[in-house]
Amino acid sequence: MSAAPRIAPSALFTPQEWTPFQMRSAWAGPLLVVHCWAVIALAVLAGVLIPWLIPLCIMIVGTRQLGLAILMHEAAHGGLSKSNRLNDFLGHWLCAVPIGASLRAYRPYHLTHHRFAQQAEDPDLMLSAPFPVSPASLRRKLSRDLTGQTFFKQRVLLPLAQARSSGSRDASAHDYESIVTGRSVLPFLAFNAVLLAGFIAAGVWWAFFMLWLAPMATWFPMVTRLRNIAEHACVEGSSTNPFRAARTTRASLWERAFVAPYWVNYHAEHHLFMHVPCWNLPRLHRAIHAKPQAEAMEVAPGYASVLRAVTRQPE
């Protein structure tokens, strides 16, 4: 098994230059979790008070549900807190469980992805290998996301298939969906039952379905797909050059609000040095791009340009 090529920080930075990127914060990670839930709460409140804002609120909540997944990812790298216990508590119970994931299942899966990024053993290779595709193919994928078909497959069909197979799993077909959204069914149902009870107690039972479940069934799967595509699809030399293991996408303000929260767009930097906390990735991006080696990195000017690059397959 061939591990992905890697470089040491000393290949780019002096010890003094690298020291700030090694720092762990006691408060930044917990504050990000609070921020994510606060944005969700405000968007739900706005949708309840001003119903014509509901489509916008669905987009905001769906993006912050992706934000919970991103913060779970941060916890998988131990970046949410200096305390391992608090890191795992926040990452599992406040980030993973609400969206139907499990930090315990996700961490070894994701670290295997880093170890074998874009190699044959990479469990995430199935997410990028099919690209490029035709524009029609991508439209069909996004249509399945926005119409709830992807949600139904992940939240209903996969758990049922797992139950029928008595815990065995097909390692060749649906590992990503199984690990990320199918391994925490009972906690996910329990969390959402409590959440529904809260909405009922507040007299707005319908808001649970319209402003929490609908985003999870539509916008969240779509932006998750866009994230996966942008990170690794169609990056030439990604299996041999550590500077090209992933793509960084420059995200505008609206893209950070509706597609790429919490600096998830700095994925090339994350693959180079995976233990740098997500809030330090913009600073790391600037530091790397002050070095000549940065010329090898794949940096897209925006998500629209990424979609053009990955849909160059003829119809």
Side-chain angles (χ1 to χ4, degrees), residues 43 46-47 49-60 211:
L49 297 178
I50 312 173
W52 60 266
L53 287 179
I54 285 177
L56 178 65
C57 295
I58 286 175
M59 296 163 63
I60 292 172
L211 293 167

Side-chain angles (χ1 to χ4, degrees), residues 155-240:
R155 309 304 173 124
V156 179
L157 297 183
L158 277 175
L160 288 176
Q162 290 175 344
R164 286 197 299 267
S165 62
S166 300
S168 65
R169 64 187 181 96
D170 178 1
S172 65
H174 299 299
D175 274 8
Y176 180 79
E177 292 92 340
S178 177
I179 289 290
V180 176
T181 61
R183 293 297 185 85
S184 190
V185 175
L186 292 180
F188 171 67
L189 293 176
F191 176 90
N192 280 273
V194 172
L195 192 62
L196 175 58
F199 278 97
I200 292 173
V204 288
W205 62 268
W206 58 269
F208 170 81
F209 298 97
M210 183 63 68
L211 293 167
W212 174 256
L213 203 57
M216 186 175 292
T218 57
W219 195 261
F220 176 34
M222 189 195 73
V223 291
T224 298
R225 186 183 300 277
L226 294 179
R227 170 199 173 180
N228 291 330
I229 291 171
E231 288 176 349
H232 291 287
C234 300
V235 181
E236 295 182 7
S238 59
S239 63
T240 58

Side-chain angles (χ1 to χ4, degrees), residues 44-76:
V44 169
L45 181 62
V48 169
L49 297 178
I50 312 173
W52 60 266
L53 287 179
I54 285 177
L56 178 65
C57 295
I58 286 175
M59 296 163 63
I60 292 172
V61 173
T63 303
R64 293 302 137 177
Q65 288 168 338
L66 172 60
L68 293 175
I70 292 165
L71 296 177
M72 173 190 71
H73 164 268
E74 188 69 18

Side-chain angles (χ1 to χ4, degrees), residues 85-97:
R85 181 174 295 183
L86 181 58
N87 176 84
D88 288 1
F89 174 82
L90 294 173
H92 182 67
W93 292 107
L94 295 185
C95 298
V97 167

Side-chain angles (χ1 to χ4, degrees), residues 12-288:
L12 289 177
F13 304 109
T14 66
Q16 293 76 18
E17 290 174 326
W18 182 243
T19 296
F21 300 112
Q22 294 180 297
M23 303 297 291
R24 282 283 188 269
S25 171
W27 54 267
L31 280 182
L32 287 178
V33 176
V34 171
H35 176 271
C36 193
W37 279 108
V39 172
I40 290 171
L42 289 172
V44 169
L45 181 62
V48 169
L49 297 178
I50 312 173
W52 60 266
L53 287 179
I54 285 177
L56 178 65
C57 295
I58 286 175
M59 296 163 63
I60 292 172
V61 173
T63 303
R64 293 302 137 177
Q65 288 168 338
L66 172 60
L68 293 175
I70 292 165
L71 296 177
M72 173 190 71
H73 164 268
E74 188 69 18
H77 289 283
L80 278 186
S81 174
K82 291 182 177 180
S83 164
N84 290 336
R85 181 174 295 183
L86 181 58
N87 176 84
D88 288 1
F89 174 82
L90 294 173
H92 182 67
W93 292 107
L94 295 185
C95 298
V97 167
I99 57 171
S102 165
L103 178 62
R104 179 176 295 181
Y106 175 74
R107 176 178 281 142
Y109 170 92
H110 182 67
L111 295 182
T112 299
H113 161 64
H114 272 275
R115 183 182 179 188
F116 299 109
Q118 297 299 289
Q119 311 297 313
E121 297 83 7
D122 181 359
D124 274 358
L125 191 61
M126 59 175 288
L127 299 175
S128 58
F131 292 90
V133 298
S134 69
S137 175
L138 181 62
R139 286 194 297 269
R140 287 192 296 269
K141 290 176 172 61
L142 298 182
S143 175
R144 288 195 295 269
D145 297 336
L146 289 174
T147 56
Q149 296 175 64
T150 301
F151 176 84
F152 183 77
K153 169 191 167 187
Q154 293 177 342
R155 309 304 173 124
V156 179
L157 297 183
L158 277 175
L160 288 176
Q162 290 175 344
R164 286 197 299 267
S165 62
S166 300
S168 65
R169 64 187 181 96
D170 178 1
S172 65
H174 299 299
D175 274 8
Y176 180 79
E177 292 92 340
S178 177
I179 289 290
V180 176
T181 61
R183 293 297 185 85
S184 190
V185 175
L186 292 180
F188 171 67
L189 293 176
F191 176 90
N192 280 273
V194 172
L195 192 62
L196 175 58
F199 278 97
I200 292 173
V204 288
W205 62 268
W206 58 269
F208 170 81
F209 298 97
M210 183 63 68
L211 293 167
W212 174 256
L213 203 57
M216 186 175 292
T218 57
W219 195 261
F220 176 34
M222 189 195 73
V223 291
T224 298
R225 186 183 300 277
L226 294 179
R227 170 199 173 180
N228 291 330
I229 291 171
E231 288 176 349
H232 291 287
C234 300
V235 181
E236 295 182 7
S238 59
S239 63
T240 58
N241 186 339
F243 287 93
R244 299 188 62 79
R247 175 190 287 108
T248 281
T249 305
R250 301 190 195 280
S252 64
L253 181 62
W254 78 265
E255 286 172 322
R256 294 198 298 272
F258 294 106
V259 178
Y262 304 125
W263 310 284
V264 70
N265 52 302
Y266 292 101
H267 206 60
E269 292 79 8
H270 173 63
H271 265 266
L272 275 175
F273 305 115
M274 65 179 178
H275 294 298
V276 174
C278 63
W279 54 88
N280 251 341
L281 290 177
R283 182 179 180 181
L284 179 62
H285 173 81
R286 293 189 296 270
I288 293 175

